[in-house]
């Protein structure tokens, strides 16, 4: 069944949309998303989203471009910061976006659930030559979220369908407040076997859907063939004024670009509850999942599928087996498509 989604055009009144750009500049400094810690325990030593990263390196992304793995890694090593998380506002002025009534109403329609609780707002900044690997977002379950479990494991849990009873449906808005060259939001509302729909990243437009379930990515931004700097953890993106941005590693400048070469988006996420009882169960931590139950459930299903025989494999081998078994990525298409 096709996933529900809606387009906002425009998202905000013109003055409010311009204020989002000013907020981005005022926030000033952005770190790399890849700086999140490696997994500990199950899948120890693997990146948090090795599922999407390994698929990107193996397939070359949506258009199957084959490049050295280090270049592909730099292409997806984008910059992110959080503007609001629950009641914590980290960027003054983001409140109207966080509590946007139109987003709340659309989230009710996307999931068919009446109680919507805005949870997080964050910004993504992609630089020339960068793109975002096709993936689904990190879901949440009662007792199981990115604070306690590896992100790839949560993704595998959702794709497996084994833990739907505990799932926290989330609606996501992706909004653009900058006209990007390239950088279309490519998503698969009809499933990973159907063609992608490419929505351009245009100023003051947005889309809402269930990005935990719908595969999506970002096409390459402002690809003019220039060599891509080796973006590494610890580097920071700074707004320098007058439309100029620069990337620094300590005191060393690594790259410089202008607004018109970049892609700026702001994402809004909200929990969607069926009723107050379900919301209360989440708040009061009733019927939470536990790690042993999750792994035992996976193991039983893997044996039922004939994917596992004998003793449970070591943590890293089990991690790879779970991703390979349950996450089915879209196949790349020809680059001319």
């Amino acid at each position: 069944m096709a996933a529900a989604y809606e387009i906002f055009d425009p998202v905000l009144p013109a003055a409010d949309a311009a204020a989002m750009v000013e907020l981005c500049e005022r926030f000033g400094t952005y770190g790399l998303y890849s700086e999140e810690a490696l997994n500990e325990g199950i899948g120890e030593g693997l990146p948090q989203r090795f599922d999407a990263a390994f698929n990107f390196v193996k397939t070359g992304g949506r258009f199957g471009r084959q490049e050295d793995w280090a270049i592909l890694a730099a292409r997806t090593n984008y910059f992110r910061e959080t503007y609001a998380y629950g009641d914590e506002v980290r960027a003054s002025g983001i409140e109207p976006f966080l509590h946007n009534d139109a987003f709340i109403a659309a989230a009710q329609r996307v999931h068919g659930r009446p109680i919507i609780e805005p949870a997080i707002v964050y910004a993504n900044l992609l630089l020339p030559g960068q793109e975002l690997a096709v993936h689904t977002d990190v879901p949440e379950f009662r007792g199981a979220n990115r604070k306690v479990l590896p992100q790839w494991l949560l993704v595998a849990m959702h794709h497996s369908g084994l833990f739907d009873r505990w799932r926290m449906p989330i609606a996501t808005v992706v909004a653009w407040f900058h006209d990007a060259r390239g950088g279309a939001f490519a998503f698969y509302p009809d499933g990973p076997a159907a063609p992608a729909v490419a929505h351009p990243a245009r100023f003051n437009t947005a889309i809402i859907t269930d990005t935990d379930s719908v595969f999506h990515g970002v096409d390459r931004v402002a690809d003019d063939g220039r060599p891509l700097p080796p973006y590494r953890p610890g580097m920071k993106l700074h707004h320098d004024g007058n439309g100029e941005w620069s990337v620094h590693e300590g005191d060393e400048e690594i790259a410089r670009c202008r607004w018109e070469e970049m892609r700026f988006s702001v994402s809004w996420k909200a929990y969607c509850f069926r009723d107050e009882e379900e919301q209360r169960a989440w708040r009061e931590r009733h019927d939470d999942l536990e790690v042993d139950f999750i792994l035992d459930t996976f193991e039983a299903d893997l044996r039922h599928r004939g994917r596992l025989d004998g003793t449970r494999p070591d943590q890293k081998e089990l991690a790879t087996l779970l991703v390979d078994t349950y996450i089915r990525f879209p196949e790349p298409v020809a680059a001319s498509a």
Side-chain angles (χ1 to χ4, degrees), residues 19-48:
M20 293 294 289
V21 178
E22 295 170 3
L23 185 153
C24 174
E25 295 177 341
R26 188 171 65 251
F27 198 87
T29 300
Y30 296 78
L32 285 163
Y33 179 62
S34 64
E35 291 177 19
E36 295 202 28
L38 297 178
N39 299 313
E40 296 180 0
I42 180 171
E44 186 164 356
L46 292 169
Q48 287 284 359

Side-chain angles (χ1 to χ4, degrees), residues 269-286:
K269 287 182 177 287
Y271 299 121
C272 305
F273 297 99
R274 182 175 55 246
D275 50 38
E276 291 181 354
E277 181 179 352
E278 186 178 64
Q279 186 181 34
R280 185 165 51 252
W282 167 66
R283 287 189 183 282
E284 297 177 359
R285 303 195 63 174
H286 294 169

Side-chain angles (χ1 to χ4, degrees), residues 23-337:
L23 185 153
C24 174
E25 295 177 341
R26 188 171 65 251
F27 198 87
T29 300
Y30 296 78
L32 285 163
Y33 179 62
S34 64
E35 291 177 19
E36 295 202 28
L38 297 178
N39 299 313
E40 296 180 0
I42 180 171
E44 186 164 356
L46 292 169
Q48 287 284 359
R49 290 306 308 270
F50 86 88
D51 57 311
F54 287 13
N55 180 71
F56 184 69
V57 170
K58 180 175 70 174
T59 65
R62 184 162 88 92
F63 294 121
R65 298 183 177 101
Q66 297 301 310
E67 295 179 295
D68 181 80
W69 72 268
I71 296 175
L72 291 171
R75 291 202 186 281
T76 60
N77 209 356
Y78 61 99
F79 294 85
R80 170 182 289 186
E81 289 295 342
T82 299
Y83 289 162
Y85 197 101
D87 295 330
E88 180 188 1
V89 173
R90 302 176 184 175
S92 178
I94 200 62
E95 295 90 342
F97 190 88
L98 175 63
H99 300 290
N100 187 292
D101 289 338
F103 295 169
I104 291 171
Q108 291 172 327
R109 293 189 292 270
V110 164
H111 278 297
R113 289 167 171 247
I115 300 177
I116 308 300
E117 185 168 324
I120 186 171
V121 176
Y122 58 86
N124 284 343
L125 288 157
L126 276 69
L127 306 187
Q130 291 194 307
E131 58 189 284
L132 192 55
V134 173
H135 66 290
T136 54
D137 284 358
V138 181
E140 290 194 24
F141 303 81
R142 290 200 303 278
N145 56 46
R146 67 176 70 204
K147 293 181 179 180
V148 296
L149 289 179
Q151 295 177 20
W152 62 263
L153 180 59
L154 295 163
V155 175
M157 287 170 62
H158 179 36
H159 283 275
S160 76
L162 298 170
F163 307 94
D164 288 351
R165 178 181 133 198
W166 294 270
R167 186 188 168 216
M168 303 272 298
I170 295 173
T172 300
V173 171
V174 183
W176 299 276
F177 296 103
H178 170 65
D179 287 326
R181 288 199 290 117
F185 180 82
F187 68 115
Y188 296 78
D190 296 314
V197 176
H199 181 79
R202 290 188 294 106
F203 174 76
N204 204 18
T205 64
I207 185 171
I208 184 170
T209 191
D210 175 6
T211 53
D212 294 353
S213 304
V214 177
F215 280 97
H216 59 284
V218 173
D219 289 346
R220 195 166 294 179
V221 177
D223 187 18
D224 58 6
R226 76 176 77 174
L228 202 66
Y231 299 124
R232 295 184 294 268
M235 293 182 178
K236 301 291 183 183
L237 174 66
H238 299 279
H239 178 245
D240 298 328
N242 299 317
E244 294 279 347
W245 292 77
S246 58
V247 178
H248 291 263
E249 185 173 37
D251 295 330
E252 181 185 0
E253 183 176 298
I254 303 300
R256 176 169 291 276
C257 59
R258 294 190 56 78
W259 255 127
E260 56 266 25
E261 300 174 293
M262 300 166 57
R263 182 188 188 272
F264 166 51
S265 65
V266 182
S267 293
W268 174 95
K269 287 182 177 287
Y271 299 121
C272 305
F273 297 99
R274 182 175 55 246
D275 50 38
E276 291 181 354
E277 181 179 352
E278 186 178 64
Q279 186 181 34
R280 185 165 51 252
W282 167 66
R283 287 189 183 282
E284 297 177 359
R285 303 195 63 174
H286 294 169
D287 192 28
D288 276 5
L289 286 167
E290 296 183 355
V291 175
D292 287 345
F293 174 81
I294 293 168
L295 296 181
D296 289 346
T297 300
F298 268 134
E299 181 177 347
D301 190 63
L302 289 169
R303 294 188 188 282
H304 176 73
R305 291 168 175 258
R307 297 277 290 164
L308 184 60
D309 192 16
T311 60
R312 183 186 291 183
D314 65 34
Q315 300 280 39
K316 185 173 281 190
E317 185 180 348
L318 179 60
T320 303
L321 178 60
L322 291 174
V323 166
D324 288 347
T325 299
Y326 297 108
I327 305 177
R328 290 286 175 263
F329 289 92
E331 293 292 332
V333 297
S336 60

